[in-house]
Amino acid sequence: MLFRSLAVEKVTTAAESVEAIHSAVALPVDEILNDVMSRGQNPPIVGPFTTAHEKCAPGCRFVSWGIWGDARHQAKRSCHNSGQAIDIHAIVCGGKTYPSLSARFTNYASCMKGSLGVIYGSGDHRDHAHIELRHCDMCVGLHCRGMRK
């Protein structure tokens, strides 16, 4: 019985830690936008994403894995390389974190599909939502323009 109690306590502590981390790294949409613009970047996804996010999750923040393609994305055709996609890992509403596998996040991803292209729940996108401009430029390398899907 003691073992089971300690196991439950360990799981609860881990869940609370994850929640605290997500809350700490989640930023309001305006803060993300200001940060991106202050670095001289103007990714095309920001405006449409901001509008859709505020419609689908008013007052909520989001945990993003980024807009611009990392080295893995840059080596292949990707909408991230042209700044036309963003990966969202969780949303934080009213201080509660809804990770990518929660029902609230699934509803959020479904709502976002009304305005933008969304890949979620399959392949490389099981643990986050890939949100992109419809008919985005898929290209190789960073800050590129090029091939349509």
Side-chain angles (χ1 to χ4, degrees):
M1 194 62 122
L2 177 62
F3 175 74
R4 186 175 186 169
S5 176
L6 289 174
V8 169
E9 184 177 322
K10 192 174 186 179
V11 168
T12 301
T13 301
E16 289 170 352
S17 296
V18 168
E19 179 99 13
I21 290 167
H22 284 170
S23 294
V25 298
L27 296 171
V29 175
D30 289 345
E31 201 170 317
I32 292 282
L33 178 59
N34 289 337
D35 179 55
V36 168
M37 297 306 187
S38 71
R39 291 191 230 162
Q41 302 169 339
N42 189 14
I45 189 67
V46 171
F49 171 79
T50 301
T51 300
H53 174 79
E54 289 174 352
K55 173 186 163 226
C56 294
C60 297
R61 298 174 294 158
F62 59 90
V63 179
S64 171
W65 280 354
I67 294 174
W68 296 110
D70 59 12
R72 187 176 58 90
H73 284 93
Q74 292 171 35
K76 62 182 182 177
R77 290 179 58 207
S78 172
C79 296
H80 285 287
N81 297 331
S82 58
Q84 296 181 18
I86 185 170
D87 288 338
I88 303 299
H89 175 68
I91 56 174
V92 180
C93 306
K96 181 166 174 48
T97 300
Y98 297 94
S100 61
L101 300 177
S102 68
R104 175 66 177 94
F105 189 90
T106 300
N107 290 339
Y108 169 75
S110 294
C111 178
M112 296 294 277
K113 284 182 182 179
S115 305
L116 300 162
V118 177
I119 303 170
Y120 171 65
S122 63
D124 291 338
H125 303 95
R126 291 188 189 280
D127 60 354
H128 69 283
H130 168 91
I131 301 172
E132 65 185 27
L133 297 178
R134 294 189 194 282
H135 311 295
C136 67
D137 293 322
M138 292 186 75
C139 55
V140 178
L142 193 56
H143 300 283
C144 59
R145 294 283 180 180
M147 302 178 279
R148 295 272 181 189
K149 283 186 187 177

